[in-house]
DNA sequence: CTGAAAGCGCTAACAG
DNA sequence: CTGTTAGCGCTTTCAG
């Protein structure tokens, strides 16, 4: 009754248990080729009663096909990438493809290493965050011979496919919206992450947009680690003590924006009459704040879905046919004005 | 100069490129056995210039060893599981082991299916959330012949190892703390997830604790989906309109608790003088709220670390030796009183 | 220190 | 519809 735990069952065990050749058992288990209903039945019951689980390692080696897709992201610590993953999962759910996630902590060398390890499983595709990689990483991506989708950001040149938004444009658009509402004395608050290229590009686009209107950022503050909500409070306080005349604060993400808003309201500051606010990301959280924070959606879920779809489409293609669907997708996020970006009548 | 993209390099390619036998190349690449510094050098340069990436599929098949660990969790949509994953990653970072994540959406059948797919890769271990599984899932876990760590919850019987907290106790402890502070008219607000066993157990422990003090929950409200912060507001409003005499609200997670707090403060309610509040999870977010919400840490990061450590220890062991380290770890979360659980002087 | 042979468990490609 | 034969790319084992 008890089977030794140390030897997993093989096709052969099932084959012997039901008196059908290994090959036919394999066919039944994969729904390949025609098998008579009778043998099919026999095989299925045998496999189930034995508790057989096929060995994909052997299967993939033999078939030279792997249903794994490498998904490489910088972090799991905010909701951004988990949401992307949810989109990826959603698309892959209807396919045999399976995402395998690697986390880089925003470190280029770790990204290189993670990619190397994932490629050693010969995945069917790679979804990787960002366009900035080490030379070695780029070389691996180019030589892997599988579809590669770089996600989140479209300000740059992809190795292959690309799905994301232009963070530079996002920053610029926000600058334009703020200027249009008549704000002129503007502060910027963001992360101190030299390796977060997307945050950097948003900042660049933002200053660009202001410059175009003849405005310069009046004060700026950067943070590192810790609770974003608490940091938002602290930084806002620090900045307003230093520059009390500001009439708008642009936060590089919604969480610090929310923290700033809570602090301002504690202080009895009139938002947005006295000071306007905007964040970035469009996180679900915002719906519960005392005022709806202005923001811009980063299209996280859609990016995950679209990237996964590109892999799905490409892996169905006959090796090196030209893909028919677009391989470079730039989504255009819209500004949500909320209640913190309109000058009061 | 250009290599055909469709055939990944093999050991043989490297072997030919440097005139060393495949076997020795393999040894060098794995740091196994003694190889002369000279050949070692030759092999390494050849491998690097060619851009060779070993094929783990073949390697694992041959060695009967897989450095993958299946991690099966219900969701990525709140910060709970990403934090567990961060703990897991942390521990595995110093080892050859690699987590592969599967998401079940709290659906037992999906859990079954995800586990089946992961087991087909013959992982070195399984880390799986919860103690409640379908019979088939339990059978698979039992028969897999690999270490299995069930995490998050310790109210029940594990298949093998277990790391978590007692959610029943967590609920009871919170009830006791609330009663001790003199609150008596208590409302409960939580999720409407019949499949979230841990939330259920907390609720049960909570009512148990109150009953023991001769108190009954006076009102309750459950929600489903949507922004937790916003739901917290809505539910709190609904409950207080229905039961204006409540003097304490226990929320099954910090996000809805935070929403409730924000709503109460908007209304000018005195917290905790008029109404006390508590949540659950100990999320980082809380640090930035206007009042620090009372809560109880779920030890997410530690759970991930400890679970991974069990796998690491066990995979170092000679097949079926008795593990020397504890295999059933119950962490004891502490209450953070914050500023919402103390009756004011 | 290095190499040759024999599989790991499965599937592709043919035969019947 | 079913079975047979070769490997997939690597590592184990055993000889030198």
């Amino acid at each position: 009754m008890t089977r030794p735990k140390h030897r997993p069952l093989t096709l052969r065990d099932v084959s012997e248990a039901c008196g059908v050749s290994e090959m036919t058992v394999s066919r039944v288990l994969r729904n390949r080729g025609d098998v008579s209903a009778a043998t099919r039945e026999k095989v299925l019951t045998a496999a189930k009663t034995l508790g057989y689980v096929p060995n994909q390692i052997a299967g993939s080696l033999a078939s030279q096909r792997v249903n794994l897709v490498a998904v490489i992201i910088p972090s799991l610590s905010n909701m951004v990438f988990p949401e992307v993953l949810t989109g990826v999962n959603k698309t892959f759910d209807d396919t045999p493809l399976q995402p395998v996630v690697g986390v880089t902590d925003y470190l280029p060398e770790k990204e290189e290493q993670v990619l190397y390890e994932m490629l050693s499983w010969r995945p069917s595709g790679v979804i990787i965050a960002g366009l900035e990689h080490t030379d070695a990483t780029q070389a691996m991506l180019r030589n892997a011979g599988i579809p590669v989708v770089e996600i989140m950001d479209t300000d740059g040149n992809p190795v292959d496919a690309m799905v994301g938004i232009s963070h530079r444009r996002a920053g610029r658009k926000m600058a334009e919206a703020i200027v249009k509402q008549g704000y002129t004395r503007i502060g910027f608050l963001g992360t101190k992450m030299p390796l977060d290229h997307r945050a950097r590009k948003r900042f660049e686009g933002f200053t660009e947009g202001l410059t175009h209107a003849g405005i310069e950022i009046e004060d700026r503050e950067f943070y590192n680690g810790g609770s974003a909500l608490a940091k938002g409070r602290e930084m806002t306080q620090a900045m307003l003590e230093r520059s009390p005349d500001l009439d708008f604060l642009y936060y590089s993400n919604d969480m610090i924006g929310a923290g700033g808003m809570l602090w301002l309201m504690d202080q009895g500051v009139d938002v947005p009459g006295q000071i306007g606010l905007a964040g970035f990301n469009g996180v679900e959280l915002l719906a519960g704040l005392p005022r709806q924070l202005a923001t811009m959606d980063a299209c996280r879920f859609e990016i995950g879905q679209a990237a996964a779809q590109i892999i799905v489409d490409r892996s169905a293609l006959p090796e090196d046919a030209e893909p028919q669907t677009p391989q470079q997708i730039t989504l255009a996020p819209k500004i949500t004005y909320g209640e913190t970006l309109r000058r009061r009548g």
Side-chain angles (χ1 to χ4, degrees), chain A:
Chain A
M1 208 60 243
T2 51
R3 206 164 31 71
K5 282 194 169 182
H6 41 277
R7 194 182 63 78
L9 296 167
T10 70
L11 217 41
R12 166 177 232 119
D13 295 310
V14 181
S15 166
E16 285 171 357
C18 65
V20 177
S21 79
E22 287 186 42
M23 196 55 235
T24 302
V25 172
S26 167
R27 284 195 184 98
V28 171
L29 264 24
R30 285 176 301 146
N31 287 312
R32 280 294 157 72
D34 293 323
V35 180
S36 75
T39 39
R40 166 181 216 70
E41 188 66 18
K42 256 195 296 187
V43 170
L44 254 19
T45 19
K48 171 152 280 181
T49 52
L50 289 179
Y52 171 69
V53 178
N55 185 332
Q56 292 246 38
I57 308 244
S60 295
L61 182 61
S63 66
Q64 303 283 69
R65 220 161 332 123
V66 183
N67 61 6
L68 263 24
V69 176
V71 181
I72 299 178
I73 56 177
S75 158
L76 286 171
S77 308
N78 51 51
M79 283 315 296
V80 174
F81 293 102
E83 265 190 67
V84 174
L85 291 184
T86 303
V88 170
N89 275 323
K90 168 94 178 302
T91 296
F92 282 155
D93 254 359
D94 315 317
T95 78
L97 263 25
Q98 253 183 35
V100 181
V101 178
V103 176
T104 69
D105 294 326
Y106 286 100
L107 301 173
E109 322 81 53
K110 190 158 184 201
E111 179 182 75
E112 195 175 312
Q113 181 194 323
V114 166
L115 176 62
Y116 183 84
E117 302 213 319
M118 306 221 122
L119 287 182
S120 73
W121 287 99
R122 300 290 185 267
S124 293
V126 177
I127 295 175
I128 185 168
L131 294 163
E132 284 77 17
H133 314 286
T134 66
D135 289 347
T137 299
Q138 301 229 27
M140 282 193 276
L141 290 174
R142 226 187 316 276
N143 294 326
I146 53 177
V148 172
V149 187
E150 288 169 276
I151 58 169
M152 308 314 287
D153 185 5
T154 57
D155 293 320
N157 298 313
V159 164
D160 180 1
M162 160 167 94
V163 180
I165 66 171
S166 164
H167 286 260
R168 210 177 295 274
R169 176 177 176 281
R172 204 175 53 235
K173 286 291 175 191
M174 188 55 91
E176 288 167 7
I178 292 168
V179 169
K180 198 163 195 178
Q181 293 293 320
Y183 296 103
T184 55
R185 309 182 61 99
I186 297 164
F188 178 91
L189 303 90
T191 58
K192 196 191 306 193
M193 290 242 267
L195 294 171
D196 185 345
H197 298 284
R198 292 174 287 287
R200 193 201 75 223
K201 288 171 182 174
R202 281 200 300 278
F203 179 63
E204 290 170 3
F206 187 67
T207 54
E208 221 177 276
L210 292 185
T211 303
H212 197 257
I215 296 179
E216 250 186 67
I217 284 184
E218 211 160 302
D219 196 357
R220 61 191 74 179
E221 178 103 14
F222 299 90
Y223 78 104
N224 218 330
S227 158
L229 206 60
K231 287 292 177 187
R233 293 186 98 93
E234 296 165 19
M235 291 200 295
T236 303
Q237 172 167 20
M239 181 170 286
L240 287 183
E241 277 169 4
R242 204 165 50 218
S243 318
D245 292 340
L246 295 177
D247 64 2
F248 200 93
L249 301 176
Y250 179 40
Y251 295 86
S252 82
N253 69 64
D254 288 336
M255 274 308 247
I256 54 174
M261 175 196 293
L262 290 176
W263 184 80
L264 288 167
M265 303 198 60
D266 276 1
Q267 304 300 308
V269 173
D270 171 19
V271 175
Q274 193 173 341
I275 296 192
L277 304 175
F280 179 81
N281 258 342
V283 299
E284 177 205 63
L285 170 95
L286 300 184
L289 293 175
R291 296 253 191 299
Q292 205 198 336
L293 182 68
T295 190
M296 195 177 226
D297 186 20
C299 310
R300 300 174 299 285
F301 183 81
E302 295 84 340
I303 288 176
Q305 270 194 307
Q309 191 59 53
I310 288 180
I311 303 281
V312 171
D313 293 347
R314 292 268 287 271
S315 18
L317 248 51
E319 189 59 18
D320 38 46
E322 282 303 308
Q324 296 305 304
T325 41
Q327 302 290 299
Q328 326 242 111
I329 305 179
T330 301
L331 302 172
K334 296 222 168 45
I335 292 179
T336 301
Y337 282 79
E339 306 165 309
T340 65
L341 175 50
R342 297 206 196 275
R343 272 267 125 100
R344 319 213 296 180

